[in-house]
Amino acid sequence: MFEINKNKRKVDQTEYTESRNVDYIKNTNKFLNISPKNYLKAMKDMNSKKSMIPMLLISMMDKNNKIMMTLDEISEIIDYPKTSLSVLFGEFRKNEFMIKERNGVYMINPLISYKGSKYERDKLVEEYNAIKNKCKKERGY
């Protein structure tokens, strides 16, 4: 999945809450803590605005992985054209980054990012899948 350059530093196997070296090839079931606000601050001049939108959305989600704003409101907050954002949201939904629960309510896939404990994540995954299945039935898939 991800490749990290191998170096001679020892991989820390103790359990901490701060960031640490993680070998993604061996530990595919582990999550890595990232501060979206600090990430955005550090990367803002290095990447295009379009490439930063997923992390912006993650920073905007609530504890239920939901963003309760219309496309107009999100467009205004992140200073990105609404039509382009609409197309991008379609791509995000197609690639299961997020789903649209209803107008003005979007949910980020909890398998990508979540806030809280593993138990809370599992509840969010169930909710996400239920919404996804409901949307498929409504569209006749």
Side-chain angles (χ1 to χ4, degrees), residues 24-97:
Y24 286 97
I25 296 166
K26 292 180 183 174
N27 300 317
T28 57
N29 292 328
K30 290 195 176 193
F31 284 83
L32 177 66
N33 296 331
I34 296 175
S35 168
K37 290 180 182 174
N38 290 339
Y39 178 85
L40 290 166
K41 184 177 177 183
M43 303 301 281
K44 70 179 178 181
D45 295 329
M46 295 176 54
N47 294 304
S48 69
K49 185 171 272 194
K50 180 180 179 180
S51 67
M52 298 302 287
I53 289 175
M55 191 59 74
L56 285 164
L57 294 172
I58 287 170
S59 72
M60 295 167 69
M61 72 184 190
D62 64 14
K63 67 179 182 144
N64 295 315
N65 276 38
K66 296 191 179 169
I67 301 168
M68 297 193 187
M69 292 183 215
T70 64
L71 206 53
D72 285 327
E73 293 169 325
I74 296 169
S75 173
E76 189 176 315
I77 288 171
I78 65 175
D79 190 30
Y80 199 77
K82 179 185 172 187
T83 53
S84 299
L85 193 60
S86 178
V87 170
L88 194 57
F89 274 35
E91 291 177 29
F92 289 161
R93 290 192 304 265
K94 186 170 96 177
N95 292 306
E96 295 195 35
F97 174 78

Side-chain angles (χ1 to χ4, degrees), residues 79-131:
D79 190 30
Y80 199 77
K82 179 185 172 187
T83 53
S84 299
L85 193 60
S86 178
V87 170
L88 194 57
F89 274 35
E91 291 177 29
F92 289 161
R93 290 192 304 265
K94 186 170 96 177
N95 292 306
E96 295 195 35
F97 174 78
M98 67 188 297
I99 55 175
K100 180 178 179 180
E101 185 174 352
R102 62 183 185 274
N103 286 340
V105 181
Y106 301 90
M107 184 175 187
I108 305 291
N109 187 338
L111 294 175
I112 293 173
S113 180
Y114 70 96
K115 296 178 181 180
S117 68
K118 183 183 180 322
Y119 172 75
E120 291 164 330
R121 182 202 67 163
D122 292 343
K123 288 190 333 185
L124 289 171
V125 168
E126 286 180 29
E127 180 182 356
Y128 180 86
N129 288 331
I131 294 168

